[in-house]
Amino acid sequence: MSKKWRPATQLVHGGTLRSPYGETSEALYLTQGFVYESSEAAEARFKGETDGFIYARYASPTNDMFEKRMCLLEGAEDARATASGMAAVSAAILCQLKAGDHIVAARALFGSCRWVVETLAPKYGIECTLVDGRDLANWEKAIKPNTKLFFLESPTNPTLEVVDIAGVAKLANQIGAKVVVDNVFATPLFQKPLELGAHIVVYSATKHIDGQGRCLGGVVLSDKKWIEEELQDYFRHTGPALSPFNAWTLLKGIETMPLRVKQQTANAGKIADFLADQSKVGKVIYPGRADHPQADIIARQMSGGSTLVCFELKGGKEAAFKLQNALEVVKISNNLGDAKSLITHPATTTHKNLTDEARAELGISGGTLRLSCGIEDTDDLLEDFAAALSKVSA
């Protein structure tokens, strides 16, 4: 397998295993177990003396292909595929911590991610401090003698804040802590956290990797030593494994991800510019625009914008609902990274469980909307927004 191939080629051919039948498309191995030629062969397999698969909860040929292809894309040594993005997040965090340890996490997180570090982890004696991740000084001030983990999203959900990954990694390395980055919004095409110094990267493969509304999936990527020493036993014994059928679906989705993300990003940039010129829109946040508050960090660590746009209507929740309900091409959904353009009202969906104060801290108001751009014709999307905005009161 040529490691010199560029991402679009790796995502079609990377990590492919073929059966003796020589199939063009990857084979789908729907099996939970495997048989052995002899008792001695089974013993050797379980001892790790010979290579091969043991049980689909641990690994399977289809999942192995997906993991290898993601490693080639991410530049990681090893990976484990999980049943969902949140299974990946939970595994990456909990597998390496114990009672008495301390997490420092950016406060701008997807609702379920924030619940894991703020509510679940403390139940097991793991402390957590949430910080405004935009300022490195906040990360440094939050460090305690027992700090073992930094956790962040960048760009963040839903307000597209950006965290200086290299800066956070430098702080972590000074105290021997690990950095876990949820890289969903940037996609592995536009941002490489491992190259910036992060130790572990997680994805909801449900998003851009499948990106066609078909299945759930997740993946954790890191160096081989960390996967084997920290994640592997947790993974084997708690059972977050990805279904082989979903792994096969994700393999099909990842082939076209560069094409989809390119069109989605182009659409997002044009819609962001359009919305910024509208009198009914109070604010637009998009990583591809020069007016993004952290444009300097974006220039250093991202090679592209994003498929997502965050904007705020001046008329609050009433205006946001009216706009959503008036859209025809764009659909209302809490998902993102899909071939279809999707719009979300975070305050009443993805972030509804946060307090009013917590949402205000994150910049989420009643008028905040998160747009995930699809691959539709750009002009159709612009016309859809123009028509919907005309029905919103000034």
Side-chain angles (χ1 to χ4, degrees), residues 275-328:
L275 291 171
D277 289 336
Q278 306 305 306
S279 60
K280 298 173 185 177
V281 177
K283 178 170 59 175
V284 174
I285 306 172
Y286 181 65
R289 283 177 57 87
D291 61 359
H292 190 286
Q294 297 147 299
D296 57 332
I297 299 175
I298 293 168
R300 293 200 305 267
Q301 69 183 33
M302 293 179 68
S303 60
S306 177
T307 65
L308 292 112
V309 180
C310 179
F311 64 101
E312 184 176 48
L313 293 177
K314 294 178 180 178
K317 177 182 175 181
E318 181 180 353
F321 273 30
K322 188 167 288 187
L323 176 72
Q324 285 196 137
N325 293 340
L327 290 165
E328 294 183 358

Side-chain angles (χ1 to χ4, degrees), residues 7 31 71 103 115 123 132 191 239 246 258 290 293 310 326 382 390 393:
T31 181
C71 283
I103 302 169
W115 183 87
K123 291 182 178 180
D132 182 341
Q191 185 168 267
N246 285 16
C310 179
L382 291 171
S390 71
S393 302

Side-chain angles (χ1 to χ4, degrees), residues 28-341:
L28 170 56
Y29 293 91
L30 286 176
T31 181
Q32 73 274 58
F34 303 85
V35 298
Y36 313 95
E37 294 181 357
S38 66
S39 301
E40 292 77 10
E43 182 182 29
R45 187 84 56 87
F46 271 77
K47 283 183 174 180
E49 297 173 350
T50 60
D51 293 333
F53 299 100
I54 294 173
Y55 194 56
R57 177 157 53 84
Y58 307 162
S60 75
T62 311
N63 290 31
D64 188 60
M65 282 188 276
F66 173 63
E67 291 166 356
K68 282 184 167 60
R69 197 168 292 181
M70 283 299 303
C71 283
L72 288 168
L73 176 61
E74 193 67 39
E77 291 180 356
D78 207 354
R80 291 294 180 271
T82 60
S84 69
M86 283 313 306
V89 169
S90 300
I93 292 172
L94 297 177
C95 77
Q96 58 183 316
L97 298 177
K98 64 182 184 305
D101 288 343
H102 176 238
I103 302 169
V104 181
R107 68 188 185 188
L109 296 171
F110 171 56
S112 293
C113 291
R114 185 157 165 164
W115 183 87
V116 169
V117 297
E118 189 178 29
T119 303
L120 179 63
K123 291 182 178 180
Y124 298 98
I126 301 166
E127 296 180 75
C128 176
T129 301
L130 295 175
V131 300
D132 182 341
R134 295 171 293 183
D135 187 344
L136 282 177
N138 295 331
W139 293 90
E140 189 169 15
K141 290 175 186 174
I143 292 173
K144 298 181 179 182
N146 58 336
T147 300
K148 300 298 182 185
L149 182 73
F150 293 89
F151 178 55
L152 61 98
E153 300 172 1
S154 186
T156 62
N157 185 358
T159 53
L160 301 174
E161 294 177 3
V162 173
V163 177
D164 183 349
I165 297 173
V168 173
K170 183 178 180 180
L171 290 173
N173 288 334
Q174 290 172 358
I175 61 170
K178 297 292 186 182
V179 177
V180 178
V181 176
D182 182 339
N183 201 42
V184 167
F185 273 39
T187 82
L189 297 169
F190 291 156
Q191 185 168 267
K192 304 288 188 183
L194 297 180
E195 292 180 5
L196 295 166
H199 306 95
I200 301 107
V201 182
V202 295
Y203 288 99
S204 170
T206 311
K207 278 54 177 187
H208 304 93
I209 293 168
D210 172 45
Q212 293 162 84
R214 299 173 298 189
C215 70
L216 299 176
V219 64
V220 184
L221 303 106
S222 186
D223 61 82
K224 195 169 188 65
K225 183 175 185 291
W226 184 87
I227 294 285
E228 291 179 351
E229 293 182 0
E230 301 290 349
L231 180 60
Q232 182 60 21
D233 281 347
Y234 177 99
F235 185 84
R236 287 176 62 130
H237 299 304
T238 62
L242 179 67
S243 156
F245 181 82
N246 285 16
W248 182 85
T249 306
L250 293 171
L251 281 165
K252 296 293 92 188
I254 205 171
E255 291 180 353
T256 61
M257 184 172 69
L259 300 174
R260 287 182 280 105
V261 168
K262 181 180 180 181
Q263 178 64 22
Q264 289 167 319
T265 303
N267 282 343
K270 291 181 180 178
I271 292 171
D273 290 343
F274 168 81
L275 291 171
D277 289 336
Q278 306 305 306
S279 60
K280 298 173 185 177
V281 177
K283 178 170 59 175
V284 174
I285 306 172
Y286 181 65
R289 283 177 57 87
D291 61 359
H292 190 286
Q294 297 147 299
D296 57 332
I297 299 175
I298 293 168
R300 293 200 305 267
Q301 69 183 33
M302 293 179 68
S303 60
S306 177
T307 65
L308 292 112
V309 180
C310 179
F311 64 101
E312 184 176 48
L313 293 177
K314 294 178 180 178
K317 177 182 175 181
E318 181 180 353
F321 273 30
K322 188 167 288 187
L323 176 72
Q324 285 196 137
N325 293 340
L327 290 165
E328 294 183 358
V329 178
V330 182
K331 306 305 179 188
I332 301 171
S333 176
N334 54 291
N335 197 20
L336 60 94
D338 197 275
K340 299 176 179 67
S341 290

